[in-house]
Amino acid sequence: MDGGETKVKKGTAVVVGGSIAGLSCAHALTGAGWKVMVIEKSRSPPTGTPTGAGIGLDPLSQKIIETWLGESDSLINSTLPLTIDQNQATDCEKRMNSILTRDEHFDFRAVHWSDLHSLLYNSLPDDIFLWGHRFVSFSISHDKNCVNVVTEIDESGEIVEIVGDLLVAADGCLSSIRRKFLPDFKLRYSGYCAWRGVLDFDTITDLKQAYPDLGKCLYFDLGYKTHSVLYELPRKRINWIWYINQPEPDLKGNSVTMKVSNEMIERMHEEAEKFWVPELVRVIKETKDPFLNVIYDCEPIEQLCWDELVVLVGDAAHPTTPHGLRSTNMAINDAAILGKCIEKWGSVNNLKAGLDEYQTTRLPVVSKQVLHSRQLGRVKQGLRGDFDMKMASPDDFRELQQRNMPFFLGST
């Protein structure tokens, strides 16, 4: 190049996982000038019946996504505002709610998982995705200059090898890549599970009598050693979650979602009538195919980057309970900061410096957020002995607000 300049060598990143964490990394790394390949075991992107459930996007995540998309209209059109964070107590006998704390300066937006996934996916090049490729293993070259990733094509069983300069583990809370470095790592069971679902509520005309700020409010209903979450999604849909204390279930397979029977659903419906106002009970009963998540997190790990070529992001890096609305937001922030750090250090020869900065920046943030979310869930589930709902003061109840999350306004 003129002036004796040397050309900066950009790298190739292999991202394992095509969920929102993986797509976010694809956006951030392509924006940093890197070539990206995304490996996903599903044979095609999600279409048709929506999968997943609702997500609350914090202000920083909204700005990051708008930057990736190049405009804001599509995100605004796919979301609803959550300008109020309200915690309320439910009286089981009187079947009524009373407000404990209300924050009217909340600035989140509600989106369905599948809508957010579609936004991120449709704004990426088609040729970076390897659908129907099951991650098998990886190895680092002796000189630590490249990583070799082995996949198996689901349909044919053919083995495919991919060589990259960076391996990004976006393969969820049961990450097999993380297991390579932390073979004794174990998830921590929270003590409760969550029934959840999404309902088209056009037919429920009286819902806003009990929840008048639907469409802009994140509702938390607190009962005796239990709590529920309710908020509206675009296209007249309601997202609900109900947390129930119970012994740890015996999970089968590589998933934290339990297979449920009609008998389990009927029993859940019967229990709902004992705890919640009739309007919420009706939402729960009319939801088709509710599902049951087992809630885990983990003790904060000591590092996010390994062997100078492997980095953990999203739930692979920091499984967290959902009470601080952090899981997806942390993944989006992870990706954005990873992209900025790699872009800042330029050449693939400086990858270690970029990964070191990513780890130094993110590890203190996500560690504190995981632990705060854990404590928030324990309070709302009646599992923390020093918080008595009946004796708590207004100042005590403010502890329930989302804005108490460490780094609530972001870390970038």
Side-chain angles (χ1 to χ4, degrees):
M1 298 178 67
D2 293 342
E5 295 179 2
T6 58
K7 184 177 180 180
V8 175
K9 180 189 175 185
K10 298 295 185 177
T12 297
V14 181
V15 179
V16 177
S19 191
I20 289 172
L23 298 187
S24 296
C25 289
H27 274 282
L29 292 171
T30 54
W34 276 48
K35 179 181 178 182
V36 176
M37 298 300 297
V38 179
I39 297 169
E40 170 55 42
K41 63 184 177 181
S42 302
R43 293 190 179 185
S44 62
T47 58
T49 303
T51 57
I55 294 170
L57 293 174
D58 67 26
L60 180 56
S61 292
Q62 295 169 43
K63 292 178 182 177
I64 291 170
I65 293 169
E66 289 172 357
T67 299
W68 290 339
L69 300 180
E71 45 84 24
S72 60
D73 287 351
S74 56
L75 182 63
I76 295 297
N77 293 336
S78 299
T79 60
L80 283 181
L82 290 175
T83 59
I84 303 169
D85 168 27
Q86 180 164 307
N87 288 268
Q88 52 193 31
T90 296
D91 187 312
C92 300
E93 296 180 356
K94 297 180 180 179
R95 294 295 193 267
M96 60 180 293
N97 296 321
S98 57
I99 297 174
L100 301 174
T101 178
R102 180 179 170 96
D103 178 1
E104 296 187 352
H105 301 284
F106 204 48
D107 190 21
F108 280 46
R109 294 192 72 86
V111 63
H112 194 281
W113 183 94
S114 62
D115 292 339
L116 179 58
H117 189 279
S118 295
L119 279 178
L120 295 174
Y121 171 70
N122 291 331
S123 53
L124 287 166
D126 290 338
D127 59 1
I128 73 171
F129 293 93
L130 295 175
W131 296 103
H133 282 243
R134 184 178 63 85
F135 170 79
V136 176
S137 64
F138 73 94
S139 58
I140 306 293
S141 64
H142 292 298
D143 57 7
K144 292 191 175 181
N145 280 335
C146 65
V147 57
N148 186 67
V149 181
V150 179
T151 71
E152 179 182 1
I153 299 178
D154 182 53
E155 191 170 8
S156 65
E158 178 185 352
I159 297 297
V160 176
E161 296 188 11
I162 305 163
V163 178
D165 301 291
L166 172 67
L167 175 61
V168 181
D171 53 342
C173 66
L174 298 174
S175 171
S176 56
I177 297 174
R178 183 187 61 222
R179 194 180 308 124
K180 174 82 171 180
F181 302 105
L182 297 171
D184 298 324
F185 175 92
K186 291 184 178 179
L187 294 174
R188 186 200 71 94
Y189 177 56
S190 65
Y192 47 90
C193 296
W195 281 99
R196 61 190 308 171
V198 174
L199 171 70
D200 183 326
F201 73 104
D202 271 344
T203 59
I204 303 183
T205 56
D206 58 350
L207 189 57
K208 284 203 171 185
Q209 294 178 11
Y211 299 93
D213 289 315
L214 274 176
K216 61 180 180 181
C217 185
L218 174 63
Y219 283 102
F220 293 91
D221 289 354
L222 279 65
Y224 177 69
K225 293 191 174 182
T226 188
H227 78 288
S228 63
V229 185
L230 189 77
Y231 57 92
E232 187 174 344
L233 296 170
R235 300 195 295 278
K236 296 292 184 180
R237 292 174 294 176
I238 287 291
N239 182 84
W240 62 270
I241 313 170
W242 176 20
Y243 298 97
I244 300 175
N245 295 342
Q246 65 176 75
E248 182 177 4
D250 183 16
L251 285 173
K252 306 294 183 182
N254 192 34
S255 174
V256 295
T257 298
M258 287 181 60
K259 184 177 181 180
V260 298
S261 64
N262 289 335
E263 182 180 356
M264 292 172 65
I265 294 173
E266 289 176 5
R267 191 161 57 247
M268 182 266 290
H269 288 170
E270 293 172 359
E271 290 296 309
E273 293 182 341
K274 300 177 183 178
F275 287 97
W276 307 122
V277 296
E279 292 85 356
L280 178 54
V281 173
R282 186 175 175 188
V283 168
I284 292 172
K285 285 186 172 183
E286 293 194 13
T287 299
K288 294 181 179 179
D289 302 320
F291 57 100
L292 186 61
N293 280 151
V294 186
I295 306 301
Y296 292 98
D297 66 6
C298 73
E299 297 303 321
I301 61 178
E302 295 183 355
Q303 61 188 94
L304 303 176
C305 305
W306 306 80
D307 285 353
E308 302 178 14
L309 295 176
V310 183
V311 59
L312 308 180
V313 300
D315 288 342
H318 37 71
T320 182
T321 57
H323 312 292
L325 283 72
R326 297 315 306 155
S327 180
T328 298
N329 288 296
M330 282 197 287
I332 293 168
N333 278 256
D334 287 348
I337 294 175
L338 178 62
K340 286 182 178 180
C341 291
I342 287 180
E343 183 177 26
K344 171 184 173 180
W345 288 95
S347 169
V348 69
N349 297 323
N350 293 327
L351 177 59
K352 182 181 184 303
L355 294 182
D356 285 346
E357 183 169 345
Y358 164 77
Q359 178 169 276
T360 301
T361 303
R362 287 303 286 161
L363 196 55
V365 175
V366 298
S367 298
K368 289 181 180 180
Q369 291 187 337
V370 166
L371 296 178
H372 183 86
S373 182
R374 177 188 300 179
Q375 291 306 314
L376 188 57
R378 288 180 59 79
V379 168
K380 293 187 176 185
Q381 284 298 107
L383 296 173
R384 208 182 82 181
D386 63 342
F387 193 99
D388 186 338
M389 294 289 293
K390 293 183 179 179
M391 302 294 293
S393 68
D395 286 340
D396 294 328
F397 287 132
R398 276 191 282 273
E399 183 179 339
L400 305 175
Q401 292 183 347
Q402 293 293 313
R403 67 173 53 255
N404 293 314
M405 175 65 64
F407 304 98
F408 179 73
L409 296 179
S411 61
T412 56

